[in-house]
């Protein structure tokens, strides 16, 4: 059919033209930004005549490394250290800011350029501006920088590449894109191995300085004390993300086994010293030298026991296996209690109270989430076995106590602290809130009022992280359906089955939330009038 071929060819040409016009229009928007006055000296520098031609590509226009003004870059870096550094302290503030101030084109010529791009990608979407670019354009730019960082890091192995990918992981996790996050985390793990970071942390590069049982490796030594400390922190942050993001999972995770002696990050006060502080032969390696190191001890050592326990299998129909599991569970719990008791009496913890409240919040929330993850599968028996075994009331009480403890922490935190909290705390809060709801649903008891605090915590976190908004929507729906039979619930049935961890059901909840959003957009738009209808649609998913 010649006419069909001609029509197809014509349609293809029209699509190409439309794409070209859309592309040029977007570039014109980006280039028009500098003409508007701004309190931040403009987000973008004026484009040169050579780059203002419509023939230049979209990539060159959007992510040309000279496109962001030096003042804006400095502001974004300061934003990183004000809002992110307390729970993601892998960079040396003074060194990085000095590089930005002293380099006329830090996104092009600086060895830290890939790190700076990662900071821009993370901070730009949430950076308040009274002038263009608008939020949609900033999200677009963030995505452009994120993708560029990943491609550059894959092709260039270095400490800076690893740091940049670690920073970028916050974008994917905060957006609830866990598959993408896990892919980036796997890249970080492999890069750390190639850079010999575990050799540094575990054996202090003994194979470089003296006879050692370790084989020699062709790796460059840190050139400065700052670089050495940044390598230590990059290693531990990778391990933290690996352990925290998989909390509650029952499959084999391949986590790094803890060692008795390891090189921990230095005290945060010392870490704030300038590069020329040469009086120290080392920043120090005490694992309790800061709140962050205490957090590392919890996540990489204590949670390792929880991970190992959850990976064990047992016969849910066997009374003998159930008793064995209960004994092992109690033993792990006792170890966690001992750690917490010793941690609260450490002198370093009192120092941390004066310097890093956000880290202490992370310690408490993580600890409580670990308790719930540890006990939840044994607290309420699987469907069909309730009549045989019945609930384990000790496990229920330990979970409820942990949930209450977490709600107390949320109550004591300001809205600003909750908004700026690590996205990795979102799942912890959800784990506790879910237990409140499932416990009340299965046992037909009242939902604890503390649930409102946890939902409020997620709502406040959602000011920055979409992941929190999505999980808040799930919880609000469960609250609205409190009296609805399980078979009629709109939520995935796995939500009410504590044999599944929150991580196990995340994909099902994501699909549910996406479908709900799509349905809401469909029914709330009048195709004739072209305006939103007044409806009584899925409002329960939007407010509690």
């Amino acid at each position: 059919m010649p006419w069909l071929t001609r029509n197809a060819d014509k349609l293809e040409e029209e699509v190409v033209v439309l794409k070209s016009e859309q592309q040029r229009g977007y570039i014109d928007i980006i280039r028009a930004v500098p003409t508007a006055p701004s309190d931040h000296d403009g987000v973008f520098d004026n484009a040169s005549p050579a780059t203002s031609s419509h023939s230049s590509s979209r990539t060159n226009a959007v992510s040309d490394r000279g496109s962001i003004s030096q003042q804006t870059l400095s502001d974004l870096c300061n934003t990183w250290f004000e809002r992110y550094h307390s729970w993601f302290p892998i960079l040396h503030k003074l060194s990085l800011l000095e590089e930005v101030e002293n380099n006329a084109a830090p996104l092009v010529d600086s060895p830290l350029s890939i790190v700076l791009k990662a900071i821009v990608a993370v901070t730009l979407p949430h950076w308040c501006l009274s002038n263009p670019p608008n939020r949609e354009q900033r999200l677009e730019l963030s995505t452009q920088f994120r993708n560029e960082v990943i491609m550059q890091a894959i092709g260039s192995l270095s400490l800076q590449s690893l740091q940049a990918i670690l920073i970028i992981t916050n974008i994917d996790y905060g957006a609830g894109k866990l598959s993408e996050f896990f892919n980036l985390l796997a890249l970080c793990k492999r890069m750390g191995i190639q850079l010999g970071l575990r050799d540094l942390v575990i054996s202090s590069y003994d194979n470089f300085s003296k006879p050692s049982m370790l084989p020699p490796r062709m790796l460059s030594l840190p050139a400065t004390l700052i670089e050495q400390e940044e390598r230590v922190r990059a290693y531990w942050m990778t391990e933290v993300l690996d352990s925290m993001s998989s909390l509650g999972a029952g499959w084999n995770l391949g986590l790094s086994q803890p060692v008795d002696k390891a090189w921990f990050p230095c005290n945060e006060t010392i870490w704030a010293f300038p590069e020329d502080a040469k009086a120290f032969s080392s920043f120090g390696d005490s694992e309790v030298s800061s709140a962050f190191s205490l957090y590392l001890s919890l996540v990489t050592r204590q949670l390792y026991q929880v991970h190992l326990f959850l990976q064990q299998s047992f016969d849910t129909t066997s009374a003998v296996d159930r008793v064995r599991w209960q004994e092992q569970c109690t033993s792990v719990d006792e170890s966690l209690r001992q750690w917490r008791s010793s941690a609260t009496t450490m002198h370093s913890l009192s120092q941390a109270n004066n310097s890093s409240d956000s880290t202490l919040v992370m310690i408490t929330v993580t600890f409580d989430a670990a308790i719930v993850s540890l006990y939840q599968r044994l607290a309420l028996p699987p469907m069909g076995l309730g009549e045989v075994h019945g609930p384990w009331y000790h496990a229920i009480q330990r979970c409820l106590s942990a949930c209450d403890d977490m709600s107390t922490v949320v109550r004591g935190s300001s809205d600003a602290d909750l908004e700026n909290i690590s996205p990795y705390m979102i799942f912890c809060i959800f784990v506790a809130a879910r237990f409140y709801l499932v416990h009340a649903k299965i046992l037909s008891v009242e939902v604890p009022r503390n649930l409102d605090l946890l939902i409020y915590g997620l709502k406040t976190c959602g000011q920055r992280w979409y992941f929190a908004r999505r999980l808040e929507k799930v919880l609000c729906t469960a609250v609205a359906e409190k009296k609805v039979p399980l078979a009629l619930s709109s939520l995935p049935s796995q939500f009410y089955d504590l044999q599944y961890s929150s991580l196990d059901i995340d994909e099902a909840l994501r699909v549910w939330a996406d479908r709900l959003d799509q349905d809401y957009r469909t029914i709330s738009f009048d195709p004739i009038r072209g305006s939103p209808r007044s409806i009584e649609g899925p409002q329960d998913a939007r407010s509690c």
Side-chain angles (χ1 to χ4, degrees):
M1 301 182 193
W3 62 270
L4 182 59
T5 302
R6 289 195 299 270
N7 287 345
D9 293 341
K10 182 178 180 181
L11 179 60
E12 184 177 4
E13 292 175 359
E14 291 177 352
V15 170
V16 172
V17 171
L18 285 174
K19 286 185 176 180
S20 177
E21 291 177 351
Q22 182 183 24
Q23 177 177 333
R24 290 199 300 269
Y26 180 80
I27 295 173
D28 291 340
I29 290 174
I30 295 300
R31 288 175 182 145
V33 170
T35 63
S38 171
D39 296 335
H40 299 281
D41 295 337
V43 175
F44 302 98
D45 292 334
N46 291 320
S48 65
T51 60
S52 62
S53 172
H54 288 318
S55 62
S56 57
S57 68
R58 176 175 180 174
T59 302
N60 289 336
V62 174
S63 58
D64 181 358
R65 270 69 71 191
S67 61
I68 292 185
S69 71
Q70 191 172 19
Q71 180 58 51
T72 298
L73 180 60
S74 179
D75 289 346
L76 292 175
C77 288
N78 277 298
T79 297
W80 167 266
F81 287 106
E82 290 171 3
R83 300 184 181 181
Y84 301 81
H85 177 77
S86 61
W87 46 264
F88 214 88
I90 65 172
L91 302 175
H92 188 248
K93 178 178 180 179
L94 296 181
S95 299
L96 187 138
L97 293 181
E98 182 180 7
E99 180 67 21
V100 173
E101 293 172 1
N102 296 338
N103 195 321
L107 289 180
V108 180
D109 301 329
S110 171
L112 295 176
S113 62
I114 189 172
V115 175
L116 297 174
K117 294 175 199 172
I119 290 176
V120 171
V122 172
T123 58
L124 186 59
H126 311 290
W127 193 50
C128 296
L129 289 173
S130 57
N131 293 296
N134 58 34
R135 177 172 176 79
E136 289 72 21
Q137 292 170 339
R138 283 183 280 132
L139 287 172
E140 179 76 12
L141 291 171
S142 172
T143 301
Q144 292 285 338
F145 274 101
R146 171 198 175 274
N147 296 340
E148 185 175 344
V149 165
I150 293 173
M151 294 306 298
Q152 184 176 340
I154 290 176
S156 176
L157 176 65
S158 67
L159 171 63
Q160 290 74 29
S161 294
L162 173 57
Q163 291 172 325
I165 294 294
L166 286 171
I167 293 171
I168 287 295
T169 60
N170 290 292
I171 297 177
D172 290 352
Y173 194 93
K177 299 178 180 179
L178 298 194
S179 294
E180 292 88 337
F181 165 81
F182 286 128
N183 289 338
L184 292 183
L185 181 58
L187 176 61
C188 291
K189 293 276 286 187
R190 180 55 59 185
M191 293 174 70
I193 292 174
Q194 289 180 278
L195 291 169
L197 299 189
R198 187 169 176 85
D199 294 341
L200 167 63
V201 170
I202 303 304
S203 57
S204 302
Y205 283 153
D206 281 346
N207 52 326
F208 284 97
S209 58
K210 60 185 179 182
S212 169
M213 296 299 293
L214 295 173
R217 299 185 64 187
M218 293 296 294
L219 297 172
S220 61
L221 289 171
T224 65
L225 208 55
I226 297 295
E227 182 185 350
Q228 177 177 284
E229 178 67 13
E230 285 190 337
R231 291 190 185 194
V232 171
R233 288 170 177 256
Y235 170 81
W236 285 116
M237 185 54 69
T238 305
E239 295 300 308
V240 163
L241 299 187
D242 200 12
S243 179
M244 280 298 302
S245 62
S246 55
L247 180 60
W251 56 83
N252 192 337
L253 301 167
L255 296 174
S256 301
Q257 185 173 356
V259 294
D260 293 334
K261 293 183 179 181
W263 197 339
F264 269 61
C266 68
N267 186 280
E268 291 304 307
T269 302
I270 298 177
W271 185 227
F273 281 9
E275 166 68 28
D276 57 4
K278 301 295 186 183
F280 302 97
S281 59
S282 170
F283 278 142
D285 56 0
S286 172
E287 68 178 66
V288 292
S289 60
S290 67
F292 181 60
S293 292
L294 199 63
Y295 175 66
L296 294 181
S297 175
L298 169 63
V299 175
T300 62
R301 292 184 176 178
Q302 303 306 315
L303 292 195
Y304 185 78
Q305 303 177 61
V306 177
H307 286 300
L308 288 183
F309 173 76
L310 294 178
Q311 290 173 24
Q312 298 182 40
S313 61
F314 78 109
D315 185 357
T316 57
T317 64
S318 169
V320 174
D321 262 20
R322 183 173 175 82
V323 171
R324 175 177 61 85
W325 232 57
Q326 289 176 344
E327 291 175 349
Q328 293 181 10
C329 185
T330 305
S331 176
V332 175
D333 183 22
E334 182 59 30
S335 177
L336 290 172
R337 290 194 199 207
Q338 291 177 1
W339 178 88
R340 187 170 194 174
S341 177
S342 62
T344 55
T345 59
M346 291 177 183
H347 178 64
S348 61
L349 188 57
S350 64
Q351 291 178 327
N353 268 303
N354 298 323
S355 60
S356 186
D357 291 338
S358 62
T359 308
L360 294 179
V361 169
M362 290 169 57
I363 291 173
T364 304
V365 170
T366 301
F367 184 91
D368 292 331
I371 295 297
V372 177
S373 299
L374 180 68
Y375 276 107
Q376 73 170 39
R377 290 180 62 187
L378 285 170
L380 299 172
M383 299 295 182
L385 294 179
E387 300 80 3
V388 179
H389 297 299
W392 186 22
Y393 289 101
H394 169 72
I396 291 175
Q397 189 55 52
R398 288 293 291 135
C399 289
L400 290 176
S401 296
C403 295
D404 292 343
D405 189 39
M406 190 184 299
S407 63
T408 300
V409 171
V410 173
R411 180 193 292 115
S413 302
S414 67
D415 285 2
D417 289 338
L418 289 174
E419 182 180 345
N420 292 331
I421 202 170
S422 165
Y424 305 98
M425 297 300 100
I426 293 172
F427 234 143
C428 294
I429 297 176
F430 178 75
V431 165
R434 180 192 176 207
F435 185 86
Y436 270 151
L437 283 164
V438 176
H439 167 258
K441 185 88 167 180
I442 299 301
L443 298 185
S444 300
V445 298
E446 290 297 319
V447 178
R449 297 190 63 181
N450 283 343
L451 174 65
D452 294 339
L453 290 169
L454 299 181
I455 294 179
Y456 179 80
L458 284 181
K459 183 180 183 66
T460 310
C461 291
Q463 298 297 317
R464 174 166 301 173
W465 308 114
Y466 168 77
F467 193 22
R469 297 200 298 273
R470 190 175 84 195
L471 295 181
E472 178 206 357
K473 185 187 306 180
V474 172
L475 296 175
C476 288
T477 301
V479 170
E481 296 180 349
K482 170 63 171 63
K483 297 182 180 180
V484 175
L486 287 177
L488 299 179
S489 173
S490 66
L491 289 170
S493 60
Q494 296 90 343
F495 174 82
Y496 295 103
D497 188 349
L498 293 180
Q499 298 304 303
Y500 294 96
S501 71
S502 295
L503 184 60
D504 293 330
I505 64 175
D506 175 72
E507 179 61 18
L509 295 180
R510 184 195 64 77
V511 172
W512 172 87
D514 290 347
R515 185 184 302 117
L516 184 67
D517 286 341
Q518 181 62 38
D519 291 345
Y520 180 77
R521 284 191 295 267
T522 300
I523 66 176
S524 64
F525 185 79
D526 191 322
I528 298 178
R529 298 181 180 180
S531 60
R533 294 175 180 172
S534 176
I535 62 171
E536 297 180 0
Q539 298 297 319
D540 293 332
R542 284 160 174 77
S543 60
C544 294

